[in-house]
Amino acid sequence: MIVEARDVWKRYGGRVVLRGVSLRIEEPGIYGLLGPNGAGKTTFMNILVGVASPDSGEVLVNGRPPKDPSVRARIGFSPQDPGLIDQLTGFENALFYAELYGVDPGTARERLIGIGERLGLPRSVLARRVGGYSGGMKKKLGVIISLLHDPEILVLDEPTSGMDPGARRELWSLLEELRGRGKMIILATHYMDEAERLCDRVALINDGAIVAEGSPGELKRKHGPRAVVEVAIRGGVDEAVESILRGEAERIEVLGDKALLHVEDPDRAVPRIIDRLYGAGRSVTLLHVRYPSLDDVFLRLTGRRIEGP
Amino acid sequence: MRARQIKAFVKRDLRLVFRDKAAVFWLIAWPLIWVFMVAYVFVPPGSVTPVKLEIGVVNMDEGSGNFTGRDLIAVLENATYHGDRLFNIHVYNETGEMISDIRRGALDAGMVIPRNFSRNLTVGSARLRVYIGFTDIRSASITQGVLRGFLDEVSTRIGLVKANITIYYMQRYMEEGGVYNQSRGDLVGFLRRYMIGIAMPLNTSYEEVRPEAFETRETIIGWYTLGAIGMMFLYTGFSQGAAAVYREKEAGTLRRILASPTTPSTLVTAIVLSNLVIFLITAAIVLLAGVYGAGARIVFDPANPAHLLAPILLLDGALLSLGIGMLLSPLAKTSQGASSLGIALGLMLTFTAGIWFPRQMMPAWMSVLAEYFPPTWVFDTLRNIMVYGVGVGEVLGDVAKIAVATLIILIGDVAVYRLRLRRYLEEA
Ligand SMILES: Nc1ncnc2c1ncn2[C@@H]1O[C@H](COP(=O)(O)OP(=O)(O)OP(=O)(O)O)[C@@H](O)[C@H]1O
Ligand SMILES: [Mg+2]
């Protein structure tokens, strides 16, 4: 199982959406595409499953282009928009797609009920028309449909968005199980915790290009600061405070009354920060030292954050 | 695999259509409303009548005899078919005046009974001049067929009367002292056959031909039942053909379908087939309701080769409408737009291209449209077969024309889809 993208470019109108994306995934495991809104994750996935074509470059799955139906048969794709028909029941929607993959209705039904039970989409709900589902229920059904033909490769575009925390964790554990069974899972997300907790490898994607790639640990070691100090200051972070802090951190980001400081050596930096703030007559209402997250890596590499404040 | 995928689409689309009240209304209720409207409002039971022909007569006959011009007029006036008068007779004094009325369309035909009509009839044969109003080929041939059949029969009857009179006189002459021998009975018998032979050179029966040429209430309803099906095919076919892919795209299903092993050609085949199935079901319902509910004359005789063509033509009508709809799809950007365009164009052509209003009712410039609109060929041919009972030989030319048109449209569709299917997805 090899999924490979070579220098993929895509334009919409005059706008460049993917600028030379290359990646190679060879091992089973969970591969995350992490990036903010509009980064190009969905566009890349559409190309990966053969629904869109690149302007230049190519995507190969086991050495073949995804336009080849036999390649697509081995991929399970859950689009960002679940693609369900409101006038049909959950069962009818799911069995329709399963039949396009040649899964017999009995097997598909059985799998649907099994996974549905697990993700909190019981048989009684599946028997109802999808028009009456909540957003989260639709999302769950959309993800389950991509699993019904037991694909080798799963391409999931923001699978957990809209799901409640219980269902998210349940889906994570399901994906981990699938990884255990040797499946390759490629998922797009803008949830940090999802990428950090779940993914074996992550590609950080910003403005149509991959800015870094590796395991979450590697990325943080390689691109992240040693530590992040969060300070909240009574009266907020103003110019004066910022200029005081600038000397103590290699990077500062202000979020409301809080400042995030990237520091190399927190044991040295924290006492000095407190000293200098109190010295200037400002009082600290909160101080928190933590290890960097992928978001901090992203911020460092791109100057922007994935998750909002 | 392919068959299975297509089956999945057909199953899904049948569910969707029959769950959608609006779709059921437009597919079944709306055409039926029009069929029943025709049957009970436009031509209520008893109101119709085979087309009554308006016939002008100029009677210049002055003679007296066994059968005069006036007798001919009386026979024309009293001629009936299924209890209804066949002709409305208008007597003119002058030929020119009558011909100008034919030109105006006020008369279907006119005849001139010449000065010595009755005398010629007694001594030999009489001439009768008939003018047929030629508004269009169909009504002209109906008029001509009716008149010719009728006049031939009149002529035969007159001939028979003449023969009998002659035989009567000959018999009396021979009995009263003319040639008398043993073979007299044989001679009379021979003469009888000989003379009747003169009177009826051809023993043709016009009775069989005549009913087909008439418009009865049943054939009118039959005509409009097929018209209602044609109307439904056009507006649904055009809008479905134009909007189907946009609809999949907007529902988000197209992305999933194209990511599955379904090939674009399977998808297009599936869209076409599921619509054809829906069309056939709804057309069958409308046909049955037309025949059994509204009393339409629609004959289907599997032993008749022309009738075996009928279901194929019906399918082809559906295919053509869908195919034209698909050609329209690049003109729109959303399913709403495509579907409105399809419905508008479908309804417009229904009313202008001879699907719902007979071509004969339209001004000449407008009937040109019907001349070149393939779905009209389909429905006219269907009507000829199923309503007027025309034989297979008479429709083969039309069928060939229809097949060529279908082929051209389908090739166009393949081109459009080749070029556009994936673009449908990517265009915002
Ligand atoms: N069909 C399209 N036509 C024009 N522009 C498009 C189209 N699809 C995507 N784009 C543009 O391409 C860019 C990348 O979009 P894409 O959906 O791939 O981002 P994303 O990373 O999936 O974002 P999100 O997290 O919001 O899902 C966006 O700026 C978007 O506006
Ligand atoms: Mg996206």
Side-chain angles (χ1 to χ4, degrees):
Chain A
M1 243 181 331
I2 302 176
V3 171
E4 193 179 13
R6 292 191 196 135
D7 196 25
V8 171
W9 288 76
K10 182 74 184 178
R11 246 177 229 94
Y12 280 122
R15 174 115 155 274
V16 185
V17 174
L18 293 179
R19 24 187 112 234
V21 173
S22 297
L23 55 80
R24 189 179 165 89
I25 312 171
E26 290 182 48
E27 279 145 40
I30 303 179
Y31 191 96
L33 290 174
L34 182 63
N37 292 140
K41 305 181 295 292
T42 297
T43 306
F44 181 70
M45 290 197 145
N46 284 338
I47 293 174
L48 199 63
V49 299
V51 167
S53 6
D55 295 334
S56 68
E58 62 178 346
V59 166
L60 296 174
V61 177
N62 295 335
R64 308 183 60 92
K67 294 254 150 106
D68 181 340
S70 71
V71 168
R72 294 205 302 266
R74 303 163 77 177
I75 300 177
F77 175 46
S78 170
Q80 192 164 355
D81 159 19
L84 304 171
I85 297 176
D86 283 352
Q87 294 78 10
L88 299 178
T89 66
F91 279 119
E92 287 163 351
N93 268 290
L95 296 192
F96 164 67
Y97 289 116
E99 269 190 90
L100 298 185
Y101 288 87
V103 184
D104 83 32
T107 313
R109 212 180 144 83
E110 208 172 285
R111 287 182 185 156
L112 176 59
I113 291 171
I115 310 171
E117 213 66 67
R118 204 168 151 182
L119 294 186
L121 204 62
R123 199 192 287 244
S124 58
V125 172
L126 291 171
R128 299 205 315 246
R129 294 209 186 155
V130 165
Y133 283 20
S134 72
M137 287 155 115
K138 286 185 184 171
K139 194 75 204 189
K140 288 177 191 173
L141 181 58
V143 172
I144 298 171
I145 287 172
S146 67
L147 298 169
L148 295 178
H149 58 291
D150 194 26
E152 280 174 30
I153 301 172
L154 262 172
V155 178
L156 310 174
D157 197 347
E158 299 189 16
T160 60
S161 73
M163 286 190 193
D164 57 49
R168 263 180 100 190
R169 274 192 298 277
E170 206 45 66
L171 181 59
W172 288 351
S173 85
L174 180 64
L175 294 179
E176 279 162 349
E177 252 175 65
L178 291 168
R179 167 171 60 191
R181 285 172 42 204
K183 310 279 185 195
M184 178 186 282
I185 299 160
I186 302 171
L187 67 88
T189 182
H190 36 60
Y191 294 123
M192 270 336 108
D193 54 341
E194 189 158 281
E196 299 210 33
R197 220 214 92 184
L198 194 62
C199 296
D200 302 301
R201 285 166 70 77
V202 174
L204 298 183
I205 173 163
N206 182 45
D207 196 17
I210 292 181
V211 291
E213 203 239 6
S215 73
E218 267 167 33
L219 287 173
K220 286 187 278 191
R221 264 196 307 282
K222 203 163 144 204
H223 302 285
R226 285 279 314 285
V228 177
V229 180
E230 279 182 43
V231 244
I233 290 147
R234 180 165 302 133
V237 180
D238 49 32
E239 291 279 322
V241 171
E242 239 188 292
S243 73
I244 292 170
L245 295 176
R246 193 160 292 133
E248 303 304 325
E250 60 176 272
R251 176 174 208 109
I252 295 184
E253 203 195 350
V254 178
L255 304 168
D257 66 343
K258 252 192 325 191
L260 292 188
L261 313 177
H262 286 190
V263 301
E264 274 310 306
D265 184 353
D267 296 342
R268 274 188 50 213
V270 169
R272 290 171 54 118
I273 290 168
I274 292 174
D275 271 1
R276 296 195 57 178
L277 283 172
Y278 280 96
R282 309 300 296 257
S283 50
V284 172
T285 57
L286 175 144
L287 190 139
H288 175 65
V289 180
R290 60 169 172 80
Y291 291 109
S293 68
L294 284 175
D295 199 18
D296 300 315
V297 174
F298 197 85
L299 177 66
R300 208 149 181 241
L301 289 170
T302 66
R304 60 194 276 222
R305 295 168 57 82
I306 298 174
E307 286 188 336
Chain B
M1 187 70 172
R2 202 176 144 86
R4 191 160 179 184
Q5 291 169 333
I6 291 174
K7 204 184 100 206
F9 275 99
V10 173
K11 217 162 65 183
R12 181 196 73 165
D13 291 353
L14 282 178
R15 277 201 178 109
L16 282 176
V17 160
F18 290 103
R19 269 177 205 177
D20 179 355
K21 290 193 187 72
V24 171
F25 177 83
W26 289 109
L27 283 165
I28 299 172
W30 181 254
L32 281 182
I33 287 171
W34 284 100
V35 170
F36 283 96
M37 205 67 149
V38 168
Y40 294 101
V41 180
F42 298 148
V43 282
S47 70
V48 189
T49 71
V51 256
K52 193 173 274 183
L53 296 180
E54 304 294 324
I55 307 286
V57 181
V58 179
N59 185 11
M60 300 196 275
D61 183 31
E62 290 159 346
S64 60
N66 290 323
F67 196 83
T68 63
R70 200 162 302 136
D71 292 327
L72 178 62
I73 292 171
V75 171
L76 282 167
E77 273 175 338
N78 292 323
T80 58
Y81 174 71
H82 281 322
D84 290 303
R85 290 252 177 115
L86 269 177
F87 306 115
N88 251 349
I89 304 300
H90 307 266
V91 176
Y92 288 80
N93 293 323
E94 208 245 318
T95 310
E97 199 185 329
M98 180 181 79
I99 287 177
S100 83
D101 273 359
I102 295 176
R103 288 223 171 89
R104 278 198 304 119
L107 292 178
D108 293 302
M111 63 177 75
V112 178
I113 303 174
R115 189 178 300 276
N116 29 27
F117 175 76
S118 53
R119 211 188 70 209
N120 286 344
L121 206 59
T122 318
V123 296
S125 55
R127 290 172 65 104
L128 197 59
R129 193 170 203 102
V130 177
Y131 301 90
I132 306 283
F134 194 94
T135 38
D136 63 87
I137 192 153
R138 200 169 81 81
S139 59
S141 62
I142 291 175
T143 308
Q144 186 166 356
V146 173
L147 269 178
R148 171 167 296 166
F150 177 78
L151 291 172
D152 280 356
E153 186 140 339
V154 169
S155 148
T156 305
R157 296 241 168 99
I158 293 167
L160 267 172
V161 169
K162 281 167 71 181
N164 275 322
I165 289 168
T166 312
I167 289 163
Y168 170 76
Y169 280 115
M170 285 173 72
Q171 212 166 341
R172 276 191 51 188
Y173 164 76
M174 284 185 278
E175 274 167 3
E176 279 169 14
V179 190
Y180 188 84
N181 58 41
Q182 280 191 322
S183 64
R184 183 195 58 172
D186 295 341
L187 180 65
V188 172
F190 164 75
L191 281 174
R192 184 189 299 272
R193 281 193 301 280
Y194 176 74
M195 296 297 269
I196 287 172
I198 293 173
M200 284 203 299
L202 282 174
N203 194 2
T204 319
S205 167
Y206 291 93
E207 298 298 329
E208 289 169 8
V209 187
R210 264 199 271 175
E212 310 298 347
F214 287 105
E215 294 278 20
T216 61
R217 176 170 179 263
E218 287 70 30
T219 62
I220 293 173
I221 301 171
W223 198 98
Y224 280 102
T225 300
L226 285 167
I229 291 173
M231 161 155 59
M232 181 267 281
F233 275 16
L234 282 197
Y235 65 68
T236 15
F238 280 19
S239 71
Q240 276 296 316
V245 178
Y246 291 111
R247 215 163 277 151
E248 302 276 5
K249 176 188 165 171
E250 287 159 19
T253 46
L254 185 58
R255 193 180 300 278
R256 269 210 127 103
I257 291 164
L258 291 180
S260 81
T262 312
T263 60
S265 71
T266 307
L267 170 61
V268 175
T269 313
I271 289 176
V272 169
L273 271 179
S274 58
N275 277 296
L276 288 188
V277 170
I278 290 164
F279 275 148
L280 279 196
I281 293 174
T282 50
I285 293 173
V286 176
L287 271 178
L288 290 176
V291 173
Y292 296 105
R297 175 187 154 92
I298 297 210
V299 270
F300 181 73
D301 171 13
N304 179 343
H307 286 202
L308 293 181
L309 273 176
I312 298 172
L313 280 168
L314 204 59
L315 254 180
D316 193 78
L319 189 62
L320 270 177
S321 320
L322 270 172
I324 295 173
M326 287 178 163
L327 291 181
L328 296 176
S329 85
L331 300 178
K333 284 214 147 33
T334 59
S335 68
Q336 260 294 322
S339 149
S340 316
L341 174 71
I343 291 175
L345 207 65
L347 280 178
M348 198 193 83
L349 286 164
T350 297
F351 293 124
T352 54
I355 300 284
W356 181 256
F357 291 123
R359 268 196 248 194
Q360 293 76 14
M361 286 170 56
M362 293 187 292
W365 61 268
M366 208 186 235
S367 66
V368 169
L369 206 58
E371 230 38 78
Y372 295 101
F373 188 52
T376 307
W377 305 342
V378 172
F379 282 93
D380 279 351
T381 310
L382 270 173
R383 283 162 176 149
N384 283 338
I385 294 174
M386 299 182 81
V387 180
Y388 301 113
V390 160
V392 72
E394 289 168 75
V395 297
L396 278 182
D398 293 320
V399 169
K401 232 167 65 170
I402 291 164
V404 171
T406 308
L407 197 68
I408 291 173
I409 287 170
L410 289 184
I411 289 172
D413 288 335
V414 170
V416 164
Y417 267 68
R418 275 269 162 93
L419 282 174
R420 295 191 52 96
L421 190 58
R422 270 166 213 281
R423 265 208 264 153
Y424 280 115
L425 248 193
E426 297 192 38
E427 271 165 8

